[in-house]
Amino acid sequence: MKLDLTKDFAEYAKDLNQASRDANIQKAMARAVKSYRDTTAETMKRYPHTPDLALEVQGIKTNAIENNPDLLQQAMASVERNKGKAFYAKDAEAALALAAQIIGKGKTVVKGKSMLGEEIHLREYLEEQGTEVWETDLGEFILQLKKERPMHILSPAIHVPREQVAEIFSKFFGKEVPPDIAAEVAQVREFMRDKYFTADVGISGANVVAADTGAMVIIENEGNVRLSTGAPPVHIVMVGIEKIVPTFSDAMKVAEVTWRYAQYGIPGYVNIISGPSKTGDIEKVTTYGAHGPKEFYVIFVDNGRSLMARDERFSQALHCLRCGGCMYECPVFQVTAGHFGYTYLGGIGSIWTAFVSGGLEKAAPLLYTCLRCGRCVERCPMSINVPEMVGQLRKMIVNGEQIGDGDLTLAATVGNASQALSS
Ligand code: SF4
């Protein structure tokens, strides 16, 4: 099939040019890039073993992606053993339908930041179903009010300076909120408290999953994940299948490298969640639903990842830890923020867009925006060769090839392992 590139290219080019002239974006990006470079340099000096650990994690990820179908089955079995319920969703539609079915009608959801959620448009879908959804991550909350998409995978509202945040909050809360970051944070904290304890369901992603134990490792700083996964009676984890590694010890190594390259010496919180809350304090009888959620669900989402895993030209893109480091060093991202991309941003984002978020047609403008300068490879803890993959995808466009024609083997294999909700 011939690709129609004209429409997206024109709109995208207009958007990119506008962004490069936006004073708010320029101000916010200059602050963010400086802060990222300073903090990362200091962090690496304090924890000099990090590059060696990153090399070890490259090996762990290579092995994990090669064995993904087996690890997926193992992870699902571990979740079930821990008294949770595990599901495999082969695409976005299946993932959304599962989530909606678990949540039920007329409910309130508190949600942690999740790129997968953005990929499948989770909040928008649930809102259409009549669910009240609150983004609890501060940056995501700002964007929810601003009705915009994230401009960075870790700092979604990176392009919104404090002055603009004050305007947005003053309008939403119906009172004057000064352009003072501490005051802005305090205002959201007060508003969100009540939401955590009255919500029916908490939804989170996971940074890494250990197949042997079924442990979900979730890194955060704000404490919002803690509250949204701990306070409501039901917790749903929605996670991409590429996040699974063989063991708990592997998972902790992946987590450490992720937060270090995301510029943290140590994050505020590392949540390890493996099942519903429980107690055995009365007569040693295990009872589920103590202080935390009584019900725990994990939806493992494929949505094009298994196709990427099986194509040796692109499987390395699945090693991405979503640390966000490459974006700060990308010369295009530095002047346009997240306008260089849709859900997944920058050079690595163009590859992910091609496989999981719109196909080659959608990814084409991004693939031709990338300068292939290689600065991202230098910064990346996984040394992902983005320029090489961008070149391969451009070749596919020129040759009229499509992503993964007719390759659905994995979906058939693991589909059998998935549980039906009614069972
Ligand atoms: S491509 Fe590398 S640097 Fe960029 S977000 Fe992924 S792991 Fe981090």
Side-chain angles (χ1 to χ4, degrees), residues 153 261 317 319-327 348 376 379-384 386:
I153 54 177
Y261 281 80
H319 298 187
C320 177
L321 307 178
R322 308 246 192 277
C323 69
C326 54
M327 282 154 224
I348 184 73
C376 55
R379 166 54 65 193
C380 178
M382 298 293 97
S383 302
I384 297 174
V386 169

Side-chain angles (χ1 to χ4, degrees), residues 298-316:
V298 182
I299 303 175
F300 290 98
V301 183
D302 187 326
N303 205 29
R305 287 161 173 78
S306 53
L307 290 176
M308 221 191 296
R310 280 196 300 278
D311 191 328
E312 61 182 20
R313 294 170 298 176
F314 304 110
S315 60
Q316 200 200 14

Side-chain angles (χ1 to χ4, degrees), residues 41-327:
E42 197 190 309
T43 306
M44 291 300 174
K45 215 152 88 192
R46 192 170 302 136
Y47 305 100
H49 69 284
T50 309
D52 285 342
L53 191 59
L55 277 179
E56 201 184 327
V57 167
Q58 284 182 24
I60 292 170
K61 289 293 286 183
T62 304
N63 166 49
I65 297 300
E66 276 170 16
N67 296 298
N68 188 262
D70 290 344
L71 290 176
L72 172 58
Q73 298 216 29
Q74 208 187 323
M76 291 178 76
S78 296
V79 170
E80 296 275 334
R81 195 172 58 242
N82 298 340
K83 306 294 179 205
K85 288 236 169 275
F87 303 93
Y88 167 77
K90 78 175 187 334
D91 54 27
E93 289 71 35
L96 292 168
L98 277 164
Q101 208 178 330
I102 296 166
I103 293 166
K105 293 278 172 216
K107 299 291 170 62
T108 299
V109 167
V110 281
K111 183 180 162 291
K113 180 161 48 109
S114 145
M115 284 309 296
L116 176 70
E118 294 294 330
E119 174 188 320
I120 62 175
H121 306 295
L122 178 63
R123 190 183 76 236
E124 294 80 355
Y125 174 83
L126 293 178
E127 283 174 345
E128 276 167 25
Q129 306 290 309
T131 306
E132 181 182 326
V133 185
W134 291 104
E135 296 286 355
T136 60
D137 174 85
L138 182 63
E140 290 279 0
F141 178 65
I142 293 168
L143 297 182
Q144 182 174 12
L145 300 186
K146 213 168 175 270
K147 299 193 184 355
E148 273 184 11
R149 64 187 173 84
M151 289 285 148
H152 186 270
I153 54 177
L154 289 184
S155 312
I158 193 173
H159 60 303
V160 191
R162 70 193 77 171
E163 297 80 4
Q164 212 186 352
V165 173
E167 277 171 37
I168 296 164
F169 283 0
S170 299
K171 196 167 157 210
F172 179 73
F173 293 115
K175 64 177 184 186
E176 187 68 21
V177 179
D180 170 81
I181 296 174
E184 291 167 345
V185 173
Q187 183 60 54
V188 176
R189 177 190 159 97
E190 189 191 319
F191 172 77
M192 213 54 90
R193 284 281 112 175
D194 172 60
K195 303 291 173 205
Y196 292 123
F197 291 99
T198 53
D200 303 288
V201 179
I203 300 184
S204 73
N207 294 89
V208 52
V209 178
D212 62 347
T213 48
M216 314 280 137
V217 182
I218 313 170
I219 303 165
E220 61 153 339
N221 281 304
E222 294 182 13
N224 65 308
V225 171
R226 230 150 234 225
L227 285 159
S228 28
T229 60
V234 177
H235 175 199
I236 305 173
V237 181
M238 299 184 79
V239 61
I241 56 172
E242 85 286 5
K243 296 285 180 70
I244 309 167
V245 294
T247 67
F248 183 74
S249 144
D250 292 336
M252 294 319 289
K253 288 174 185 165
V254 173
E256 182 175 350
V257 171
T258 304
W259 73 61
R260 198 63 44 70
Y261 281 80
Q263 81 181 80
Y264 301 113
I266 182 82
Y269 305 95
V270 180
N271 304 282
I272 298 168
I273 302 173
S274 55
S277 84
K278 62 185 175 190
T279 177
D281 278 0
I282 302 175
E283 296 179 10
K284 286 274 166 235
V285 175
T286 305
T287 305
Y288 291 91
H291 297 283
K294 189 173 184 179
E295 294 174 35
F296 178 70
Y297 302 89
V298 182
I299 303 175
F300 290 98
V301 183
D302 187 326
N303 205 29
R305 287 161 173 78
S306 53
L307 290 176
M308 221 191 296
R310 280 196 300 278
D311 191 328
E312 61 182 20
R313 294 170 298 176
F314 304 110
S315 60
Q316 200 200 14
L318 290 166
H319 298 187
C320 177
L321 307 178
R322 308 246 192 277
C323 69
C326 54
M327 282 154 224

